[in-house]
């Protein structure tokens, strides 16, 4: 079995996944380099040449982080004619979206699903004419009961859960009448601001049989029901229009060519200077300019910097002057789900499409597990800290508790929480963070601005939120003026001779 975290370090039995990325990494290292996954199936070797005399050191804007938010901001600024340097720590773009290939399957190790209720990502899919696919759905559903799991026809499996969720969220559309402005009714939000998801479950006084129908989701989204804020999921419900069908349906469509197709399309349009393998170590503000230094000691300057890295990562970057109190509080406490691991599992059996949900705290580690298309591997999520996902027998045992005949052939784990450039999975607030921190985190710190799904107004914690927030920050008044230096029509992405064709549409040398 193959299981490892994103660092590429094998964990447990079997071959590491490193071989999948080998071509990309090996080629890049020879010349200070980097690797970019340009499509779902290709990891090509690319590199920047630090000795290149043409490599500029001063830019109009430096964007740190080539996740969806950073790439969106970069595209918008390039459209205004700015010279933009996009610095990315990893050897690939996409951040917490990561389209990969495993055992011949295209898999998403991070963000996956998109929906027409998410206007920003939907607009990008239309803009670039990127195909989407709908999951085929399931033929069997396994829902939790007090004594185990009950196999149900998918058409009836969610009836009771739908009723319960509707009650769980009963006030949400009133609290968020403008769901993309979470504090529009601050007075109403204040009544729930300190609630955890667990508090709301307790308040409902559900029967045990009903409660376990909800805790698969409250634990998955909250990263445990105790940790997650009620307000966050209430807002998602309001964003979904206040119906269970829409709320549940948000996880139906995905970009057919992978989430990386969105990022690549934006980069192809923006043509920024992109430097991979360039973790930023410090961001120092002096009168008139900001100096950004990478761990390798490279120094770049610009009048404006956008930090499009996860909130949880801020604490490991040196800021001078130091970050404001709200930013320090957020990055210390953490804003995202910290314990979620996503597994892709090649099940020898069963081969049918199914979904199963497990309650919190019963020793069933996979809050959500299923196969949604014929022939696909199974995807599973766990937030259970007592579960060792690197123990292949434990993984198989966990599935057998739901489907006794299950047989695991292989699996792979992604743990963004252990990845130093994420330190968590999707954004999700803790109690009190919405009123206390949300607006402050969007404020610039002098010449340094912040962007990312973690601080978005609308679909915070989703790809859509990352795009929304990249647009917000790029529209900041100080970034709206003309470029200080006339930029060339095309900036450069530094790619060596190999695999040039993978970068069709980008300016390469
Ligand atoms: C397992 C999982 C499942 C998810 N499922 C969904 C889903 O189905 N649908 C959905 O819409 N969303 C989903 N999400 C959430 C979504 O993927 C994220 O909200 C979104 O991708 C975040 O984008 P971002 O640009 O804000 O941050 P990121 O993607 O984290 O981008 C930040 C970038 O900054 C870089 N960086 C970090 N530190 C440094 C540094 N020091 N120097 C330079 N660069 C640095 C990182 O490498 C990264 O590329 C999921 C997330 C995870 C992890």
């Amino acid at each position: 079995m193959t299981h490892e975290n994103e660092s590429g370090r094998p964990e447990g039995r079997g071959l590491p996944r490193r071989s999948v990325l080998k071509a990309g990494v090996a080629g890049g290292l020879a010349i200070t380099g980097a690797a970019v996954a340009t499509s779902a199936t290709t990891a090509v070797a690319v590199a920047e040449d630090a000795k290149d005399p043409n490599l500029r050191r001063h830019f109009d804007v430096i964007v740190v982080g080539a996740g969806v938010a950073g790439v969106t901001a970069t595209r918008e600024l390039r459209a205004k004619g700015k010279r933009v340097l996009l610095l990315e720590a990893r050897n690939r773009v996409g951040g917490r979206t990561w389209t990969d290939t495993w055992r011949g399957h295209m898999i998403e190790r991070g963000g996956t699903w998109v929906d027409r209720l998410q206007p920003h990502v939907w607009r990008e899919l239309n803009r670039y004419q990127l195909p989407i696919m709908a999951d085929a759905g399931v033929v069997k559903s396994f829902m939790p009961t007090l004594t185990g799991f009950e196999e149900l026809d998918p058409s009836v499996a969610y009836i009771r859960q739908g009723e319960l969720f509707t009650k769980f969220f009963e006030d949400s559309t009133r609290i968020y009448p403008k769901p993309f402005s979470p504090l529009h009714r601050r007075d109403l939000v204040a009544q729930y601001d300190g609630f955890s998801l667990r508090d709301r479950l307790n308040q409902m006084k559900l029967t045990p049989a009903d409660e376990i129908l909800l805790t698969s989701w409250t634990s998955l989204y909250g990263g445990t029901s105790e940790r997650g804020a009620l307000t966050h999921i209430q807002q998602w419900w309001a964003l979904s229009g206040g119906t269970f069908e829409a709320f549940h349906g948000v996880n139906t469509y995905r970009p057919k060519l992978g989430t990386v197709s969105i990022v690549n399309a934006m980069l192809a349009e923006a043509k920024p200077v992109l430097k991979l393998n360039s973790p930023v170590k410090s961001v120092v503000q002096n009168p008139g300019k900001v100096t950004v230094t990478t761990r390798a000691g490279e120094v770049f300057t610009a009048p404006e910097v956008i930090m499009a890295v996860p909130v949880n990562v801020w604490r490991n970057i040196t800021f001078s002057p130091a970050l404001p109190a709200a930013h320090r509080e957020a990055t210390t406490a953490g804003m995202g789900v910290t314990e979620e691991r996503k597994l892709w599992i090649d099940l020898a059996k069963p081969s049918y499409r199914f979904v199963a949900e497990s309650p919190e705290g019963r020793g069933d580690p996979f809050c959500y597990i299923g196969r949604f298309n014929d022939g696909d591997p199974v995807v599973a999520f766990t937030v259970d800290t007592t579960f060792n996902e690197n123990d292949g027998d434990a993984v198989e045992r966990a599935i057998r508790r739901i489907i006794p005949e299950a047989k695991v052939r292989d699996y792979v784990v992604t743990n963004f929480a252990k990845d130093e450039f994420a330190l968590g999975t999707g954004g999700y607030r803790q109690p009190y963070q919405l009123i206390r921190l949300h607006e402050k985190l969007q404020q610039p710190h002098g010449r340094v601005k912040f962007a990312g799904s973690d601080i978005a107004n609308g679909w915070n914690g989703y790809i859509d939120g990352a795009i929304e927030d990249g647009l917000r920050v790029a529209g900041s008044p100080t970034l709206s003026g003309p470029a200080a230096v006339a930029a060339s029509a095309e900036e450069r992405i530094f790619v060596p001779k190999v695999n040039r064709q993978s970068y069709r549409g980008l300016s390469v040398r």
Side-chain angles (χ1 to χ4, degrees):
M1 291 183 183
T2 309
H3 26 104
E4 61 179 288
N5 62 31
E6 190 185 4
S7 67
R9 200 171 53 247
E11 295 173 351
R13 289 182 274 160
L15 290 172
R17 199 190 54 84
R18 190 178 293 281
S19 54
V20 176
L21 290 177
K22 206 169 111 198
V25 174
L29 282 177
I31 28 179
T32 71
V36 162
T38 51
S39 73
T41 51
T42 331
V44 294
V46 299
E48 52 77 30
D49 183 352
K51 294 191 186 105
D52 185 335
N54 297 321
L55 182 58
R56 283 181 294 275
R57 298 285 154 186
H58 186 72
F59 293 82
D60 294 322
V61 188
I62 298 172
V63 178
V64 181
V68 175
V71 169
T72 303
T74 297
R75 182 196 60 195
E76 296 299 301
L77 294 169
R78 290 286 299 132
K80 292 178 189 170
K82 308 273 187 192
R83 280 188 196 281
V84 182
L85 171 64
L86 179 55
L87 287 174
E88 168 53 45
R90 300 179 219 248
N91 62 2
R92 62 174 181 84
V93 295
R96 283 173 282 172
T97 58
W98 181 11
T99 310
D100 198 6
T101 302
W102 177 70
R103 292 179 70 86
H105 299 279
M106 185 181 89
I107 60 168
E108 297 285 2
R109 286 169 168 268
T112 307
W113 287 284
V114 295
D115 195 82
R116 57 167 61 88
L117 291 172
Q118 300 173 333
H120 301 96
V121 70
W122 211 252
R123 192 182 54 239
E124 299 298 335
L125 294 165
N126 276 312
R127 174 176 180 146
Y128 297 114
Q129 294 290 292
L130 298 173
I132 54 165
M133 57 171 279
D135 285 340
V138 298
V139 295
K140 291 188 185 185
S141 297
F142 299 88
M143 298 301 275
T145 70
L146 292 177
T147 51
F149 293 88
E150 183 182 15
E151 184 186 321
L152 291 168
D153 186 282
S155 64
V156 298
Y158 285 94
I159 292 175
R160 184 64 185 147
Q161 193 188 58
E163 291 166 358
L164 293 168
F165 261 129
T166 304
K167 174 102 180 111
F168 185 94
F169 291 116
E170 65 188 357
D171 256 357
S172 304
T173 47
R174 192 171 65 88
I175 303 168
Y176 305 95
K178 293 179 187 283
F180 283 89
S181 303
L183 291 170
H184 182 73
R185 287 299 309 266
R186 189 184 299 261
D187 56 327
L188 297 178
V189 173
Q191 295 171 16
Y192 292 93
D193 193 38
F195 271 55
S196 68
L197 295 158
R198 167 47 56 196
D199 290 334
R200 176 65 178 145
L201 290 167
N202 292 346
Q203 188 189 45
M204 288 174 76
K205 295 192 177 14
L206 297 166
T207 65
D210 277 347
E211 185 177 299
I212 62 172
L213 287 174
L214 298 186
T215 57
S216 52
W217 288 104
T218 56
S219 66
L220 174 64
Y221 285 146
T224 79
S225 305
E226 272 88 11
R227 181 182 163 91
L230 174 65
T231 52
H232 206 122
I233 198 172
Q234 278 180 328
Q235 188 193 352
W236 286 348
W237 179 267
L239 284 161
S240 306
T243 69
F244 179 69
E245 198 184 17
F247 176 73
H248 207 251
V250 160
N251 300 327
T252 303
Y253 297 98
R254 54 178 101 189
K256 196 172 177 184
L257 304 176
T259 52
V260 72
S261 63
I262 303 173
V263 172
N264 280 345
M266 289 183 177
L267 282 173
E269 180 180 343
K271 301 179 180 65
V273 176
L274 167 64
K275 274 181 68 68
L276 301 170
N277 278 353
S278 303
V280 165
K281 187 177 70 176
S282 67
V283 179
V284 176
Q285 300 189 54
N286 287 307
K289 73 170 181 190
V290 187
T291 303
V292 174
T293 307
T294 68
R295 285 186 197 167
E298 288 190 275
V299 178
F300 301 95
T301 56
E304 306 260 6
V305 167
I306 295 173
M307 296 302 295
V309 304
V311 167
N312 292 359
V313 167
W314 297 344
R315 60 178 178 255
N316 293 336
I317 297 172
T318 303
F319 290 90
S320 175
L323 287 177
H327 294 69
R328 288 203 307 274
E329 179 181 332
T331 191
T332 305
M335 289 208 78
V337 176
T338 50
E339 300 297 348
E340 184 182 314
R341 288 90 80 199
K342 182 174 184 179
L343 288 78
W344 283 98
I345 306 166
D346 184 358
L347 274 191
K349 54 184 182 174
S351 59
Y352 53 76
R353 304 192 307 272
F354 72 94
V355 67
E357 297 191 11
S358 303
E360 187 171 31
R362 191 176 76 177
D364 287 296
F366 297 127
C367 353
Y368 192 71
I369 178 168
R371 176 188 282 117
F372 304 106
N373 295 292
D374 286 327
D376 274 4
V378 163
V379 65
F381 298 88
T382 180
V383 294
D384 183 346
T385 50
T386 65
F387 176 64
N388 178 6
E389 70 276 9
N390 299 309
D391 176 348
D393 293 333
V395 169
E396 188 167 86
R397 267 197 315 275
I399 305 173
R400 285 188 173 184
R401 282 167 62 99
I402 307 166
I403 306 173
E405 73 271 22
K407 177 111 195 67
V408 173
R409 211 182 268 131
D410 197 359
Y411 70 97
V412 63
V413 182
T414 307
N415 187 346
F416 277 102
K418 279 199 180 152
D419 168 0
E420 63 170 327
F421 301 123
L423 298 178
T425 53
Y428 196 96
R429 292 184 208 95
Q430 297 182 50
Y432 295 111
Q433 286 184 332
L434 176 53
I435 289 187
R436 209 174 141 72
L437 299 179
H438 176 66
E439 290 162 326
K440 291 181 182 156
L441 299 183
Q442 292 186 351
Q443 294 305 309
H445 174 41
R447 292 174 174 274
V448 176
K449 298 176 168 54
F450 302 90
S453 183
D454 301 348
I455 61 171
N457 286 324
W459 287 96
N460 183 307
Y462 280 82
I463 297 166
D464 193 76
I467 296 169
E468 176 209 296
D469 211 56
L471 297 174
R472 175 189 65 79
V473 80
S476 307
T478 57
L479 290 171
S480 299
V485 192
S488 60
E490 292 188 343
E491 295 284 20
R492 287 174 174 176
I493 190 164
F494 295 96
V495 183
K497 293 190 172 57
V498 293
N499 252 332
R500 280 179 173 224
Q501 65 282 11
S502 304
Y503 268 97
R504 258 198 307 265
L506 292 180
S507 167
V508 299
R509 56 178 182 164

